Amino acid sequence: MLNVILFGPPGSGKGTQSEKVIEKYGLVHISTGDLLREEVAAQTDLGKQAKVIMDKGELVSDTIVIGMIRNKLEEHQDSPGFIFDGFPRTVDQARELRKALSDYDERVGVMISLEVAREELVKRLLNRGKETGRSDDNLETINNRIDVYDRQTMPVTYYYDKMHKHAAVDGTGSVDKIFERIVEAISKVKS
Ligand code: ADP
């Protein structure tokens, strides 16, 4: 399997680039943000709890998120691999991912982090808010999400640095140019 983590702050283009990676490599997409939004839309108990947290821009509990990930891994055992988008967001989540994958004798191939300056992120997210009406794409929540990213999520890069699996990619320029950089990083994964 080829298992790729697409990492980066909110608004760095993980969703857009995931689609292109999936198209090229046939990977199964696991976006914890999308999974949580499905729960919110279906108004499940989990969704109701998650919505309050998401609207503040805070992180949903590791236990919930890891449960969702384990279900997806179980469901798609015959796939050529996974692309994780918006996960892991804490070092504990990264450790749990390692455990979950090793249950299937699998591992993360590469963690690609998209680098984009804060002011550009805010601009992109405000735009998305206008276009899609996503309830967490308002200025106050955006700022908190980026702070939460800096505090709780950024340290995940050190975890993969230590394992020599972290590839930093410039997340600015055209969508195709960024995708080329990602393909380059994936091509270095040892199978
Ligand atoms: P973005 O990366 O654009 O902020 P996502 O769609 O990945 O958006 O996530 C939206 C919200 O869902 C987050 O702000 C957070 O509240 C919650 N969430 C998503 N993934 C996780 C995760 N792995 N751990 C905890 N909370 C998460």
Side-chain angles (χ1 to χ4, degrees):
M1 273 191 183
L2 168 66
N3 296 306
V4 175
I5 297 171
L6 204 50
F7 188 86
S12 55
K14 301 185 293 283
T16 309
Q17 295 296 335
S18 290
E19 282 176 26
K20 297 179 73 72
V21 172
I22 292 157
E23 201 187 325
K24 184 170 170 76
Y25 300 94
L27 306 181
V28 170
H29 188 208
I30 307 190
S31 156
T32 43
D34 286 352
L35 292 172
L36 288 166
R37 277 185 291 276
E38 281 167 22
E39 298 283 340
V40 173
Q43 299 187 324
T44 62
D45 282 344
L46 194 160
K48 285 178 195 158
Q49 289 173 35
K51 180 165 172 43
V52 182
I53 300 167
M54 292 166 79
D55 281 343
K56 285 193 279 195
E58 300 291 325
L59 295 184
V60 173
S61 87
D62 286 347
T63 322
I64 289 178
V65 170
I66 289 152
M68 297 193 312
I69 293 282
R70 282 195 174 266
N71 289 340
K72 283 280 163 190
L73 293 181
E74 180 66 39
E75 242 175 77
H76 296 281
Q77 264 323 292
D78 47 358
S79 87
F82 294 92
I83 178 155
F84 299 95
D85 160 4
F87 174 90
R89 253 180 163 89
T90 62
V91 173
D92 276 342
Q93 289 181 13
R95 290 199 188 101
E96 290 298 326
L97 175 60
R98 186 177 190 196
K99 280 191 221 157
L101 285 173
S102 72
D103 288 349
Y104 300 99
D105 276 331
E106 287 295 334
R107 54 172 67 193
V108 168
V110 63
M111 185 266 218
I112 298 170
S113 62
L114 292 171
E115 306 202 315
V116 178
R118 184 170 184 131
E119 53 180 18
E120 170 71 16
L121 296 173
V122 175
K123 205 166 75 185
R124 290 183 186 179
L125 292 167
L126 284 175
N127 254 326
R128 187 172 72 184
K130 275 192 213 130
E131 280 165 16
T132 67
R134 222 176 96 165
S135 63
D136 57 350
D137 283 343
N138 62 78
L139 191 57
E140 195 185 346
T141 306
I142 289 170
N143 275 316
N144 195 43
R145 278 154 65 202
I146 300 176
D147 290 343
V148 166
Y149 173 83
D150 287 341
R151 243 185 353 255
Q152 293 175 262
T153 305
M154 247 297 280
V156 172
T157 56
Y158 307 126
Y159 180 87
Y160 291 101
D161 269 333
K162 273 189 259 164
M163 292 195 268
H164 309 286
K165 287 190 175 171
H166 172 212
V169 160
D170 178 359
T172 60
S174 71
V175 169
D176 288 341
K177 187 72 210 164
I178 300 165
F179 183 58
E180 266 177 38
R181 297 175 191 137
I182 291 174
V183 169
E184 163 86 21
I186 293 178
S187 73
K188 292 181 185 147
V189 176
K190 294 176 217 80
S191 50

